[in-house]
Amino acid sequence: MASAHLERSDPADAGCIARPRAAVAGFAASAWRAFEDLFTPLEWDHLARSGDEPNPFAESWSLVPALERFAPDASVALAHFRVAGELSGLIPLARSRSYYGYPIPHLAAWSHDNMFVGSPLVRGGCEEVFWRELFGWADAHAGAALFLHLGWMAEDGPLFRALSQVADGQGRPWGVVQREERALLQSELGPQAYLEAAMSGKKRKELRRQHKRLAEEGELRFERRCDEAGLDGWIEDFLALEQAGWKGRNGSALADRLNTRDWFAQTLHGAAAQGRLERLTLALDGKPIAMLANFIAPPGAFSFKTAFDERFARFSPGVLLQLENLDLLEREDVAWCDSCAAADHPMIERIWREKRAIVRVNVAIGGPLRRALFRPMLRAESRGKAKGA
């Protein structure tokens, strides 16, 4: 894998560092359907590639299809700002009347069920300017909202560090209200050396036995693709494989609803067109029995979705496919891969040994009275973890 920290060759050209304050155009928020009146898709794509903290779920090819299917009434706004004429920050915002079942109005970074990262897109070097502009805008446009809720961000990333510095510097109450650790792949080791360090010899021997027994069932083949060739068929196979398993039985498969099915298909096509998609397939006699889609977003990657045929569970096809996925360790453009999995996931944590801490954050907005109401609520929710209460 590449080094975990990539240096910008010219910080002044890359973002807000060394830019005069006058070069920063303040935050503006408009209904998302009107975004092309404000900036082009090409500018959005350029912003996504200019940050130090990637988030493929906020890129145009993923977020626009999601908004089309999950927020068709245009109630979501895209807030953005420019530095020296360049689009330098973007975040989807929505107002809500309830907060986890309680009648508490708030402003939030918009998300959906398959959006596993909630960080905004921000040009490298512009992180502190982004939060100052966003907080100032939220103060002036708070309406009935008591606070700003921000979704999953990397706890060790530049965006979270900048948020804490800006909020603390402003004396603004804020705090972490939820924290999880999920599996991460990050190592200087090669695939085989990593596997040997992560798994006991006994477990590796069992996986070799399972692979051998599975190969006795028919012709076993592995395929990795990063292009759009055969993508429509691959998507249909994936949706069918996922729906045939436990997700289909509990009604949470992508194919169970037309909007999630269409979003998945359009997003994968968009990712492939941008060179962001890597798809892996383990097939038996030409039929997929394990499939995986990665989003490649240098300097990171995101293991987005996986599915396997439960009829072959005794052979652990999903784990066997993840062994092939360790080839990410050999990519020069990838320093780490986020599993996008739930904490303590029983499969991926058998292989990936590193952790990525991600957090949800609430931030005070508005005037003194609103902040006074927010403080005790933050203390109660964060239970001693609040940073600025």
Side-chain angles (χ1 to χ4, degrees):
M1 279 187 165
S3 171
H5 300 285
L6 301 183
E7 297 295 332
R8 294 187 298 274
S9 59
D10 188 341
D13 288 339
C16 298
I17 299 174
R19 294 287 193 185
R21 181 65 182 83
V24 179
F27 245 74
S30 302
W32 70 265
R33 287 191 179 278
F35 83 87
E36 289 189 82
D37 295 334
L38 305 168
F39 49 87
T40 67
L42 186 61
E43 287 182 292
W44 191 339
D45 295 339
H46 180 66
L47 169 62
R49 295 175 185 272
S50 68
D52 291 338
E53 192 166 336
N55 179 6
F57 302 98
E59 295 197 34
S60 62
W61 47 265
S62 179
L63 187 56
V64 171
L67 289 167
E68 288 174 343
R69 285 157 181 82
F70 311 133
D73 59 356
S75 60
V76 177
L78 286 180
H80 66 284
F81 80 115
R82 292 179 178 273
V83 175
E86 291 188 336
L87 184 65
S88 298
L90 184 148
I91 186 171
L93 295 174
R95 297 184 184 275
S96 178
R97 297 177 182 176
S98 65
Y99 181 70
Y100 294 106
Y102 294 94
I104 304 173
H106 65 286
L107 186 65
W110 182 82
S111 66
H112 58 91
D113 290 343
N114 289 292
M115 191 171 181
F116 302 120
V117 182
S119 51
L121 295 181
V122 181
R123 187 177 304 279
C126 291
E127 293 86 2
E128 290 191 21
V129 174
F130 172 84
W131 294 121
R132 285 198 298 269
E133 295 291 333
L134 174 58
F135 295 161
W137 181 90
D139 286 342
H141 299 84
L146 291 179
F147 57 88
L148 172 64
H149 179 66
L150 299 164
W152 296 123
M153 291 185 291
E155 190 177 47
D156 64 349
L159 283 166
F160 181 77
R161 289 196 298 271
L163 183 154
S164 65
Q165 291 165 2
V166 170
D168 287 344
Q170 294 178 343
R172 185 183 296 271
W174 71 281
V176 173
V177 295
Q178 189 175 358
R179 183 181 187 275
E180 289 186 4
E181 289 188 347
R182 60 195 187 197
L184 179 79
L185 181 65
Q186 184 176 21
S187 177
E188 295 300 320
L189 297 174
Q192 185 58 40
Y194 184 90
L195 182 62
E196 291 173 358
M199 276 191 173
S200 68
K202 182 178 179 180
K203 290 181 179 178
R204 298 197 308 274
K205 182 178 179 180
E206 173 62 15
L207 286 174
R208 289 194 297 270
R209 185 193 69 81
Q210 289 176 315
H211 186 279
K212 181 179 179 180
R213 293 291 179 265
L214 182 57
E216 292 172 355
E217 297 288 312
E219 183 186 8
L220 188 64
R221 295 187 62 184
F222 167 74
E223 183 179 55
R224 182 192 311 273
R225 299 199 69 100
C226 297
D227 57 15
E228 292 187 79
L231 183 54
D232 283 327
W234 193 94
I235 289 170
E236 289 302 315
D237 286 342
F238 184 96
L239 291 170
L241 194 62
E242 185 191 57
Q243 193 172 40
W246 66 269
K247 288 187 178 181
R249 292 192 294 274
N250 71 14
S252 63
L254 290 163
D256 287 337
R257 293 179 296 278
L258 183 60
N259 57 357
T260 54
R261 180 189 182 93
D262 288 349
W263 169 76
F264 178 75
Q266 188 173 347
T267 294
L268 261 59
H269 273 285
Q274 291 283 336
R276 298 295 217 191
L277 180 64
E278 180 183 68
R279 45 194 169 103
L280 283 63
T281 307
L282 188 64
L284 185 66
D285 290 334
K287 296 182 179 180
I289 60 171
M291 305 177 77
L292 170 67
N294 290 326
F295 291 149
I296 306 299
F302 297 80
S303 188
F304 172 48
K305 287 286 183 180
T306 189
F308 70 94
D309 191 329
E310 294 180 2
R311 295 174 299 176
F312 296 92
R314 65 189 183 278
F315 302 112
S316 301
V319 177
L320 295 177
L321 190 62
Q322 284 293 348
L323 298 187
E324 300 288 349
N325 199 31
L326 290 177
D327 281 358
L328 285 169
L329 292 166
E330 297 184 328
R331 290 189 63 133
E332 289 297 321
D333 58 341
V334 172
W336 47 265
C337 184
D338 185 336
S339 67
C340 298
D344 302 318
H345 192 278
M347 186 273 283
I348 195 62
E349 293 196 10
R350 291 173 58 189
I351 309 171
W352 294 11
R353 295 304 190 180
E354 297 75 47
K355 298 283 189 177
R356 189 185 201 201
I358 54 172
V359 295
R360 295 183 190 269
V361 175
N362 284 349
V363 182
I365 58 176
L369 177 59
R370 197 185 307 259
R371 297 187 187 194
L373 293 172
F374 172 72
R375 286 179 186 273
M377 183 167 50
L378 175 62
R379 283 195 294 269
E381 185 175 13
S382 57
R383 295 180 181 178
K385 292 183 293 185
K387 301 295 185 181

